[in-house]
Amino acid sequence: MILNLCDIISETIHKPLFHNFYNIADELKYNQTFTSIDLIEDSQIAIEEFENIDTNGIGGRSTLLIYGILQSLFVQQDGLYHLYKCIVDFKVKQKDFFDLFSFDHEIREVRNDIAGHPTNRKKSEYYFIEKGVMSKYKFTYVGYTPQFRKVNVDLKTFISNQYNFTKRVLLFIQYDIDKKIKMKKEEHKSKKLQEMIFGVDRNRQLIYRGIRDEVRSFQGQLGISEIKKSIEEIKMELNSRYNENLPDGVYESFRLIYYIIQRLDGWQKENELLGNDDAEIFLDSLCKQLGQLGQILKEIDLEFEDS
């Protein structure tokens, strides 16, 4: 489940309504976001590899496995903390983050005791793993604080507690991302993009008159300017929704539409629109591009209704 949640979050953070507002604006934070997800995934794979190992270690000792699993748990905790900071609350302190999600602090303490700085812990404590045979999940370590201290560790409990902690954090992060996307949809859902393009058909007729109707050819200029105005209004609304980062399909439609309008407008200003076969071909292409844009806007409207 942890790996699946990481995949879902990785996909969701790249949705335009989140990515364009919360990632692109801060490239360093964006880089830290997806590298934190990778770290959480890699650590989870290491934890699962540990659970699948069927051995007591060389000579009855499993010290390497102990170091490995404790370090995997530790770095996964760091990955979760930084992912939470990047997406939810960049001001949160690590202790407050751990307390918020009922983290088992003993996991981190044990790792720091014997796999962090065991010979100089807190500058006055010294620890070592007890010699002798040990199982994969259970071992004992001792140290001086300066009083003699003995600690029995159950790694199976640690792994179970960390799994639940990790799941809680990832589910909350996914919830927060979904909430931010929903808020963006709610902000714009009442404004229908399809309605903003309704007047295009009439203006397209005006352009056609400018090309083929000697009596009413003057209407071509009005048709061109009105279509240009409608496209500009749609583009402004889309830029507001996607933070100036238009979806690829929309960008391509606008590029072609603006080029066609520019050519038609140029012919109009040079009094070369009337009777211009090339202009009629361009108008036909404009109709197709506007139709494709209308379909894209319909899909965007549906996306914003789904909130």
Side-chain angles (χ1 to χ4, degrees):
M1 183 175 183
I2 302 303
L3 295 177
N4 288 339
L5 283 171
C6 286
D7 287 341
I8 292 170
I9 292 174
S10 182
E11 179 180 348
T12 309
I13 64 172
H14 290 95
K15 289 184 177 179
L17 292 182
F18 182 85
H19 181 71
N20 293 353
F21 286 90
Y22 300 97
N23 288 332
I24 287 181
D26 189 337
E27 185 177 0
L28 288 177
K29 186 174 73 172
Y30 170 58
N31 292 338
Q32 189 177 28
T33 299
F34 70 75
T35 53
S36 295
I37 295 173
D38 282 345
L39 176 61
I40 296 165
E41 287 180 320
D42 289 343
S43 301
Q44 186 61 34
I45 291 171
I47 293 167
E48 292 177 7
E49 286 178 350
F50 171 83
E51 291 186 286
N52 292 329
I53 289 174
D54 184 19
T55 179
N56 287 323
I58 299 174
R61 291 181 59 80
S62 54
T63 309
L64 178 61
L65 296 183
I66 291 171
Y67 286 155
I69 186 61
L70 290 175
Q71 188 65 11
S72 297
L73 294 169
F74 189 90
V75 296
Q76 186 176 69
Q77 295 152 18
D78 284 354
L80 290 163
Y81 170 56
H82 290 114
L83 182 62
Y84 183 88
K85 284 189 70 173
C86 287
I87 292 177
V88 182
D89 180 5
F90 72 94
K91 293 182 179 180
V92 68
K93 302 299 182 183
Q94 189 180 69
K95 182 182 182 306
D96 295 332
F97 164 72
F98 286 148
D99 290 344
L100 181 64
F101 291 97
S102 303
F103 172 66
D104 182 357
H105 291 274
E106 188 181 0
I107 303 173
R108 205 165 179 89
E109 283 297 310
V110 169
R111 179 268 177 191
N112 287 334
D113 284 348
I114 64 172
H117 305 282
T119 58
N120 191 29
R121 180 85 162 107
K122 301 177 182 178
K123 298 184 178 179
S124 62
E125 299 180 10
Y126 319 109
Y127 294 97
F128 59 92
I129 299 175
E130 195 173 64
K131 300 297 186 286
V133 177
M134 61 185 77
S135 70
K136 184 171 78 170
Y137 286 106
K138 293 187 177 183
F139 68 95
T140 300
Y141 72 94
V142 295
Y144 303 93
T145 66
Q147 290 78 24
F148 183 76
R149 181 182 176 218
K150 185 174 183 178
V151 181
N152 296 316
V153 179
D154 183 352
L155 291 172
K156 186 178 284 290
T157 299
F158 279 7
I159 292 171
S160 176
N161 290 345
Q162 174 120 345
Y163 174 84
N164 292 326
F165 164 72
T166 302
K167 184 172 69 172
R168 286 194 297 271
V169 174
L170 293 178
L171 286 172
F172 187 89
I173 289 172
Q174 179 62 40
Y175 163 79
D176 189 78
I177 296 171
D178 290 340
K179 182 177 69 175
K180 287 182 170 70
I181 293 174
K182 183 177 180 179
M183 288 172 60
K184 197 63 189 173
K185 288 182 178 181
E186 290 287 346
E187 183 182 339
H188 294 274
K189 68 182 297 183
S190 62
K191 193 166 188 177
K192 302 300 182 184
L193 293 168
Q194 292 179 86
E195 295 177 0
M196 299 176 69
I197 205 171
F198 279 163
V200 168
D201 283 340
R202 180 178 181 278
N203 291 314
R204 191 170 53 192
Q205 275 292 341
L206 296 180
I207 297 175
Y208 184 77
R209 291 173 187 171
I211 298 172
R212 293 303 173 197
D213 191 330
E214 292 187 10
V215 177
R216 295 180 290 181
S217 62
F218 65 92
Q219 294 180 355
Q221 182 178 6
L222 177 62
I224 293 170
S225 63
E226 287 298 314
I227 286 182
K228 185 177 181 180
K229 179 181 176 182
S230 297
I231 295 301
E232 284 292 334
E233 290 175 350
I234 293 170
K235 186 177 180 181
M236 286 180 60
E237 173 64 19
L238 287 172
N239 278 331
S240 175
R241 296 186 187 205
Y242 295 102
N243 197 26
E244 307 292 327
N245 292 281
L246 298 177
D248 290 339
V250 174
Y251 176 83
E252 285 301 308
S253 288
F254 280 146
R255 184 180 67 83
L256 293 172
I257 289 170
Y258 277 122
Y259 178 74
I260 294 169
I261 291 175
Q262 181 184 23
R263 293 297 301 272
L264 293 171
D265 193 41
W267 283 317
Q268 171 66 31
K269 290 177 180 178
E270 297 295 327
N271 294 318
E272 296 176 354
L273 188 64
L274 183 64
N276 189 325
D277 290 341
D278 288 341
E280 188 170 355
I281 293 172
F282 269 73
L283 178 60
D284 181 66
S285 180
L286 177 63
C287 295
K288 292 178 181 178
Q289 291 302 323
L290 290 171
Q292 291 180 13
L293 177 61
Q295 184 59 40
I296 294 173
L297 297 181
K298 179 180 178 181
E299 293 172 0
I300 293 175
D301 280 340
L302 290 174
E303 177 190 8
F304 275 77
E305 287 175 5
D306 182 24
S307 61

